[in-house]
């Protein structure tokens, strides 16, 4: 039997597998350590963020006083969530600031913000309506596209009797112009006309929206934004001028605020009150808790105070904080609080919405309300003597004058009464003057031709004749104007001439005849546009002075000044 030999040595283990095991262990440990390190770094990042390593930041919100209350309440809730934006602990503070004040400040340049007058520069602005944003000319001040946060329709606040009458007549916004001046249109007897107040104080955004709605209604396309050209048209100048004066002759425009106007209406509601109605947002009226005033919403498209959220330009932290707060406001809790404050968060129920006016359009409309075109009755007495054939610029004096007159014929309000006479020696069967278009309302055609067309086409056909018989023509036109006098209007003869009188009559004889023909109860002024160097200037001035008129002198007919001077005398 064989035997195993025992040499005294132990059997060895191969080194390769051990190295592999050790390497794997090292790798596992490294990976495990890396994950721990990564988690620690992540935790440290979260902790750093929660500790606001970049410090604190304050977002100032400039909110229109109408909506500042609920926005301030929501800001407190937002602050309770300890919001962090770009490693900044953000706190929101709300300042009630009129939309007018913010708009004016932005137009002066956001970097020139007056901290002393308006508080800290805001990163978010919530004005009363998009019309306020439209009026910001410094567009770089606005970051992104503003969207409505909460809305309220513009209504007519009035005593129940007036509101019921408006409802019964089915009045639209455009109808308010007629109701303003006509004491019988409401059908309320002693109440007279509508007497719509037009407050223009710091909280009167509803006025701007209501005026734009009236103008758009008159134009017939309320959902399309008005242009400056349309706002400056004779149609809208006429409408705004009629809106500017109530049936009592009082000015509708005032510097009072909407809330002051509402308070005044509530305290003095009745047939003899100077005001019977005030434009306001539905939310503004509801906030007064009035027991005597009722909201009437005119038929047709609705003007809306949409309170857009406007993120203002600034650093990234400011703009992100503003956007974050806006999203918070749009959450269900935010919309509930806004609804509880009397606002709507969905404009779908309004049907059509009146397009908000741009800044220039709003200013053009309000400018007429501030300085309305009074109803006039004017007879234009145009010199067509030989000297009017003198060339000035690209045309003759007569051609230039006709162009200027035609522009005014297109611009005068519908409420104007206008006529055209021309004069020169032996112009009309031995008479020195001719009645080209009898004086009458712009809304009344001449035969079958619209009056504006008749005036323009007749003037365009005039040509220079011979001598100038100014005095006889002025007297005839003056006598006719006194006979056709219309109460409640500015009655006048508008003489446009470039030369002296060529008749045998003296200035003193004319002045005596004018005095004899005058009637204190039927005042008529002879207003004069004097073209060029007129050797008879002193006599011309005496004619105007004797009748209470004015003289407008221009050095040449080829000048915009002629258009302006005629405009002053015709509307």
């Amino acid at each position: 039997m064989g035997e195993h030999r025992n040499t005294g040595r132990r059997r060895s283990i191969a080194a390769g597998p051990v190295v592999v095991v050790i390497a794997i262990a090292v790798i596992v440990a490294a990976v495990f350590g890396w994950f721990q390190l990564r988690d620690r770094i992540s935790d440290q990042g979260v902790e750093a963020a929660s500790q606001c390593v970049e410090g604190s930041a304050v977002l100032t919100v400039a909110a229109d006083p109408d909506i500042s209350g609920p926005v301030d309440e929501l800001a407190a809730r937002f602050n309770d969530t300890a919001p962090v934006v770009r490693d900044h602990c953000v706190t929101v503070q709300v300042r009630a600031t009129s939309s007018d004040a913010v708009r004016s400040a932005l137009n002066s340049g956001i970097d020139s913000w007056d901290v002393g007058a308006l508080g800290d520069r805001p990163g978010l602005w919530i004005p009363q309506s998009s019309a306020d944003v439209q009026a910001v000319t410094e567009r770089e001040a606005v970051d992104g596209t503003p969207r409505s946060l909460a809305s309220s329709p513009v209504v007519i606040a009035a005593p129940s009797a007036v509101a019921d009458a408006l409802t019964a007549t089915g009045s639209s916004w455009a109808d308010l112009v007629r109701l303003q001046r006509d004491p019988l249109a409401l059908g309320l007897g002693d109440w007279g006309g509508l007497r719509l107040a037009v407050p223009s104080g710091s909280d009167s955004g509803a006025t701007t929206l209501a005026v734009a709605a009236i103008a758009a209604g008159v134009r017939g396309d309320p959902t399309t934004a008005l242009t400056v050209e349309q706002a400056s048209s004779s149609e809208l100048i006429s409408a705004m001028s009629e809106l500017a004066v109530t049936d009592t002759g009082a000015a509708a425009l005032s510097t009072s605020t909407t809330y002051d106007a509402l308070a005044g209406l509530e305290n003095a509601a009745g047939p003899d009150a100077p005001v019977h109605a005030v434009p306001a947002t539905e939310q503004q009226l509801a906030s007064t808790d009035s027991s005597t005033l009722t909201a009437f919403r005119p038929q047709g498209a609705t003007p809306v105070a949409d309170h857009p959220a406007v993120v203002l330009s600034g650093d990234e932290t400011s703009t992100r904080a503003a956007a974050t707060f806006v999203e918070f406001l749009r959450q269900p809790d935010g919309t509930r609080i806004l609804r509880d404050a009397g606002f709507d968060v969905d404009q779908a129920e309004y049907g059509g919405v009146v397009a908000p006016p741009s800044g220039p359009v709003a200013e053009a409309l309000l400018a007429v309300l501030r300085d309305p075109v009074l109803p006039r009755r004017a007879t234009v007495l145009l010199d067509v003597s030989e000297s009017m054939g003198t060339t000035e610029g690209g045309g003759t004096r007569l051609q230039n004058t006709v162009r200027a007159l035609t522009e005014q014929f297109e611009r005068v309000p519908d409420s104007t009464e206008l006529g055209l006479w021309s004069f020169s020696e032996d112009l009309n069967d031995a008479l020195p003057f001719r009645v080209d278009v009898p004086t009458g309302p712009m809304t009344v055609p001449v035969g079958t031709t619209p009056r504006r067309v008749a005036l323009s086409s007749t003037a365009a056909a005039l040509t220079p004749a011979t001598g100038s018989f100014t005095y006889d023509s002025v007297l005839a036109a003056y006598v006719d104007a006194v006979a056709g006098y219309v109460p409640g209007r500015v009655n006048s003869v508008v003489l446009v001439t470039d030369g002296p009188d060529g008749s045998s009559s003296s200035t003193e004889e004319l002045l005596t005849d004018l005095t004899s023909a005058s009637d204190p109860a039927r005042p008529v002024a002879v207003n004069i546009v004097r073209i060029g160097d007129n050797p008879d200037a002193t006599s011309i001035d005496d004619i105007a002075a004797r009748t209470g008129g004015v003289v407008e002198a221009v050095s040449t007919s080829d000048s915009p000044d002629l258009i302006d001077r005629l405009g002053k005398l015709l509307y």
Side-chain angles (χ1 to χ4, degrees), residues 294-543:
T294 301
F296 166 72
R297 190 182 297 183
Q299 291 188 357
T302 303
V304 175
D306 58 344
H307 299 87
V310 186
V311 177
L312 300 177
S313 61
D315 59 40
E316 189 172 356
T317 299
S318 174
T319 56
R320 284 195 183 183
T324 301
F325 181 53
V326 170
E327 288 306 311
F328 180 83
L329 294 175
R330 298 187 191 282
Q331 298 304 309
D333 195 40
T335 58
R336 178 185 58 79
I337 289 175
L338 290 168
R339 281 196 180 97
D340 290 345
F343 294 99
D344 301 319
V345 293
D346 183 1
Q347 295 185 18
E349 64 183 76
Y350 302 146
V353 173
V354 175
S358 68
V361 166
E363 178 54 34
L365 296 174
L366 293 174
V368 180
L369 289 171
R370 285 191 291 267
D371 187 17
V373 177
L374 298 176
R376 290 177 178 266
R377 185 181 193 274
T379 299
V380 176
L381 182 60
L382 179 58
D383 185 350
V384 294
S385 62
E386 186 175 6
S387 60
M388 288 293 283
T390 303
T391 299
E392 290 182 335
T396 65
R397 283 179 174 173
L398 181 58
Q399 290 170 335
N400 295 335
T401 302
V402 166
R403 276 195 293 269
L405 280 171
T406 297
E407 183 167 332
Q408 301 310 327
F409 293 157
E410 292 300 318
R411 296 183 64 182
V412 295
D414 289 341
S415 56
T416 295
E417 295 190 22
L418 203 59
L420 175 65
W421 291 25
S422 55
F423 69 94
S424 182
E425 185 178 3
D426 296 333
L427 189 64
N428 180 29
D429 295 331
L431 291 175
F433 59 84
R434 179 175 59 212
V435 179
D436 297 295
V437 178
T439 303
M442 296 302 291
T443 55
V444 176
V446 180
T448 59
T449 305
R451 183 167 294 270
R452 294 182 197 277
V453 175
L455 287 164
S456 299
S457 60
T458 302
L462 295 174
T463 57
T466 55
S468 173
F469 276 45
T470 307
Y471 292 176
D472 291 346
S473 303
V474 167
L475 181 60
Y478 183 80
V479 170
D480 181 79
V482 171
Y485 178 84
V486 177
R489 293 177 176 271
V490 176
N491 290 250
S492 67
V493 173
V494 178
L495 169 64
V496 184
T497 183
D498 74 336
D501 175 64
S503 70
S504 59
S505 300
S506 68
T507 303
E508 286 304 320
E509 288 175 332
L510 172 62
L511 295 177
T512 299
D513 290 340
L514 289 173
T515 300
S516 299
S518 66
D519 181 348
R522 305 163 74 87
V524 173
V526 177
N527 298 317
I528 303 170
V529 177
R530 195 176 67 224
I531 300 173
D533 295 326
N534 192 326
D536 204 17
T538 301
S539 298
I540 292 294
D541 293 350
D542 289 343
I543 294 170

Side-chain angles (χ1 to χ4, degrees), residues 173-174 207-219 222 226 301-303 354-355 357 365:
W173 286 101
T207 292
T208 301
L209 296 172
V211 168
I214 292 169
V218 171
R219 286 286 303 174
L226 287 169
T302 303
V354 175
L365 296 174

Side-chain angles (χ1 to χ4, degrees), residues 184-374:
L184 302 177
L186 275 176
L188 287 178
D190 293 342
W191 282 83
L194 178 60
R195 300 180 195 170
L196 178 70
V198 186
S200 62
S202 59
D203 65 347
S204 58
T207 292
T208 301
L209 296 172
V211 168
I214 292 169
V218 171
R219 286 286 303 174
D221 188 11
T223 58
T224 300
L226 287 169
T227 65
V228 174
E229 182 179 8
Q230 291 169 339
S232 303
S233 67
S234 61
E235 180 181 36
L236 292 190
I237 289 175
S238 178
M240 293 300 103
S241 295
E242 292 187 49
L243 188 68
V245 183
T246 71
D247 65 319
T248 64
L253 189 71
S254 71
T255 58
S256 67
T257 67
T258 297
Y259 282 107
D260 287 343
L262 289 171
L265 178 58
E266 182 167 21
N267 293 332
D272 297 328
V275 169
H276 291 161
V278 175
T281 68
E282 198 169 63
Q283 187 273 338
Q284 285 177 322
L285 178 58
S287 69
T288 66
D289 292 325
S290 173
S291 59
T292 61
L293 302 181
T294 301
F296 166 72
R297 190 182 297 183
Q299 291 188 357
T302 303
V304 175
D306 58 344
H307 299 87
V310 186
V311 177
L312 300 177
S313 61
D315 59 40
E316 189 172 356
T317 299
S318 174
T319 56
R320 284 195 183 183
T324 301
F325 181 53
V326 170
E327 288 306 311
F328 180 83
L329 294 175
R330 298 187 191 282
Q331 298 304 309
D333 195 40
T335 58
R336 178 185 58 79
I337 289 175
L338 290 168
R339 281 196 180 97
D340 290 345
F343 294 99
D344 301 319
V345 293
D346 183 1
Q347 295 185 18
E349 64 183 76
Y350 302 146
V353 173
V354 175
S358 68
V361 166
E363 178 54 34
L365 296 174
L366 293 174
V368 180
L369 289 171
R370 285 191 291 267
D371 187 17
V373 177
L374 298 176

